[in-house]
Amino acid sequence: MSDKKIIFSGIQPSGSLTLGNYLGALKNFVNLQEEYNCYYCVVDMHAITVPKEPKELRKNTLQVLANYIAVGLDPDKSTLFIQSHVPAHAELAWILNCFTYFGELGRMTQFKDKSKKNEGNITVGLFDYPVLMVADILLYQADLVPVGEDQRQHLEITRDIAQRFNNRFSPTFTVPEPYIPKVGAKIMSLQDPTIKMSKSDTNENSFILLSDSPDDIRRKFKRAVTDSLGVVAINEEQLGIKNLLGIYTKITGEKIEDIVSRYEGKGYAEFKSDVADLVIEELKPIREKSEYLLKNKDYLEEIYAKGAQKAENAARKTLRKVQKKVGFIPKTFKIQQ
Ligand code: TYM
């Protein structure tokens, strides 16, 4: 048994990932894999909470898996798998539904936002989305969950439900901590720096995708909304520039003050063009490696099959414990194949 602490995180396969997904979550996954026992999941069951074309979902699921490997996640070190391959996620989610209050889920801001966008088409799955996420995390007894700022509330409800279950029965779940980076936890839209960068935005210039070509990236940064002050500085009046500085520092690791002083007396055009170059250089190997991996479907299958087996073993242990605590009679038969 490894005594390493456990990490769980997931990303939805709902189209090509954005620079926000990458800087807020994915990039951090890689840094954590040496020190922790990591489970990184492609959450396809979450993706169908809003309408999805089956063909697109299949393609995007493999794409996120390819992105995981392309950014440097090592399948021998981290467990990479697809959520729907481990049925314990759905099974635990059902049990936890019975320990979650209607009012709690109604307060989730992501549900409120998404249901505004899908008015007239709000499924029970969309409402219940956070409970499935709680099950994802608690099944693996995760200590830490690396996510962007927009998932903070979902981590709070995870902690609440874990504590509620532990208090009602006896200690069963590890109560996880969110791991939200100081820089890059909320990359903003390039067209409106008051809202987060999101691939569901109708304006394509507002987000950078991992699959964007260098020309697309350059064009989108050139058009990024800034202000009329013309001075590269960090403050709450220049949110567009603040967002670009966040991207810059997250990629280079340089201090914001050092970056700001380098652009003293220089205009926005040069700054934007440099940010674009940095992003192009950062994403190029990821795009190329992902494209290469997507041509090797057998290799991807090997990874997700092995990952699901490892995940299944860990998940079953927790699920069995939970089933026993709530009073289900243990199964003594084997299913005939
Ligand atoms: P998802 O797929 O929307 O996003 C994946 C990760 O990217 C982060 N993120 C951002 N970070 C910074 N700036 C942005 N503009 C930005 N946009 C997205 C998200 O915070 C997330 O970390 N519910 C989750 C998926 C999930 C999950 C889980 C995560 C399902 N089960 C269990 C952790 C643990 C989601 O929809 O993320």
Side-chain angles (χ1 to χ4, degrees), residues 1-9 36-39 89 92 133-145 158 162-163 165-166 170-177 311 313-322 325:
M1 263 303 263
S2 148
D3 51 8
K4 283 184 178 173
K5 287 199 166 191
I6 298 169
I7 289 226
F8 182 94
S9 198
Y36 295 88
N37 180 9
C38 299
Y39 292 87
H89 290 247
L92 182 62
M133 181 163 162
V134 175
D136 294 342
I137 298 167
L138 299 187
L139 268 182
Y140 300 92
Q141 305 288 358
D143 297 284
L144 269 188
V145 183
T158 306
Q163 275 157 349
F165 194 95
N166 289 349
S170 54
T172 310
F173 296 124
T174 302
V175 181
E177 297 282 340
N313 284 337
R316 279 279 140 205
K317 248 187 236 160
T318 304
L319 184 67
R320 258 192 244 116
K321 239 205 268 185
V322 171
K325 293 211 180 179

Side-chain angles (χ1 to χ4, degrees), residues 8-14 18 20-25 29 43 46 83 110 114 129 132-133 136-137 145-151 154-155 184-188 196-199:
F8 182 94
S9 198
I11 295 186
Q12 285 195 66
S14 46
T18 67
N21 295 133
Y22 174 65
L23 296 180
F29 292 1
V43 293
H46 278 105
Q83 188 185 30
Q110 202 160 65
K114 284 195 183 176
Y129 178 113
L132 180 58
M133 181 163 162
D136 294 342
I137 298 167
V145 183
V147 283
E149 183 60 42
D150 62 344
Q151 298 299 318
H154 290 159
L155 260 296
K186 196 167 186 184
I187 302 296
M188 309 310 266
K196 79 165 182 179
M197 180 183 284
S198 163
K199 60 201 149 207

Side-chain angles (χ1 to χ4, degrees), residues 213-238:
S213 69
D215 283 349
D216 287 337
I217 297 176
R218 211 163 274 125
R219 178 176 44 80
K220 289 180 184 182
F221 275 110
K222 210 169 181 177
R223 292 189 186 164
V225 167
T226 48
D227 53 70
S228 52
L229 296 174
V231 180
V232 176
I234 184 92
N235 59 57
E236 294 308 310
E237 272 74 62
Q238 295 175 268

Side-chain angles (χ1 to χ4, degrees), residues 67-230:
N67 290 153
Y68 277 176
I69 303 165
V71 297
L73 291 179
D74 177 347
D76 290 327
K77 289 188 186 144
S78 300
T79 305
L80 310 180
F81 70 106
I82 298 170
Q83 188 185 30
S84 64
H85 289 177
V86 182
H89 290 247
E91 292 178 75
L92 182 62
W94 176 257
I95 296 176
L96 296 180
N97 274 331
C98 304
F99 294 86
T100 307
Y101 298 107
F102 197 81
E104 279 180 306
L105 293 182
R107 283 195 291 277
M108 294 290 113
T109 51
Q110 202 160 65
F111 170 70
K112 290 191 214 163
D113 291 349
K114 284 195 183 176
S115 48
K116 253 185 234 147
K117 282 188 196 148
N118 291 279
E119 245 171 45
N121 206 2
I122 305 162
T123 65
V124 177
L126 187 65
F127 185 65
D128 199 30
Y129 178 113
V131 182
L132 180 58
M133 181 163 162
V134 175
D136 294 342
I137 298 167
L138 299 187
L139 268 182
Y140 300 92
Q141 305 288 358
D143 297 284
L144 269 188
V145 183
V147 283
E149 183 60 42
D150 62 344
Q151 298 299 318
R152 190 185 287 280
Q153 201 185 22
H154 290 159
L155 260 296
E156 279 161 13
I157 196 175
T158 306
R159 292 171 56 83
D160 290 345
I161 294 174
Q163 275 157 349
R164 187 173 304 151
F165 194 95
N166 289 349
N167 291 339
R168 167 75 177 78
F169 300 100
S170 54
T172 310
F173 296 124
T174 302
V175 181
E177 297 282 340
Y179 177 95
I180 298 174
K182 284 205 180 70
V183 185
K186 196 167 186 184
I187 302 296
M188 309 310 266
S189 152
L190 297 183
Q191 290 299 307
D192 177 358
T194 64
I195 58 170
K196 79 165 182 179
M197 180 183 284
S198 163
K199 60 201 149 207
S200 60
D201 202 309
T202 47
N203 185 346
E204 283 196 7
N205 287 321
S206 71
F207 51 76
I208 303 286
L209 299 176
L210 298 196
S211 57
D212 276 347
S213 69
D215 283 349
D216 287 337
I217 297 176
R218 211 163 274 125
R219 178 176 44 80
K220 289 180 184 182
F221 275 110
K222 210 169 181 177
R223 292 189 186 164
V225 167
T226 48
D227 53 70
S228 52
L229 296 174

Side-chain angles (χ1 to χ4, degrees), residues 42-56:
V42 186
V43 293
D44 54 348
M45 288 157 68
H46 278 105
I48 62 163
T49 53
V50 294
K52 278 275 135 44
E53 274 306 315
K55 202 172 144 204
E56 283 296 297

Side-chain angles (χ1 to χ4, degrees), residues 62 65 69 293-294 296-304:
L62 291 183
L65 183 71
I69 303 165
L293 288 165
L294 283 166
N296 288 277
K297 297 267 175 357
D298 291 348
Y299 173 70
L300 291 179
E301 188 181 336
E302 211 179 285
I303 303 298
Y304 68 65

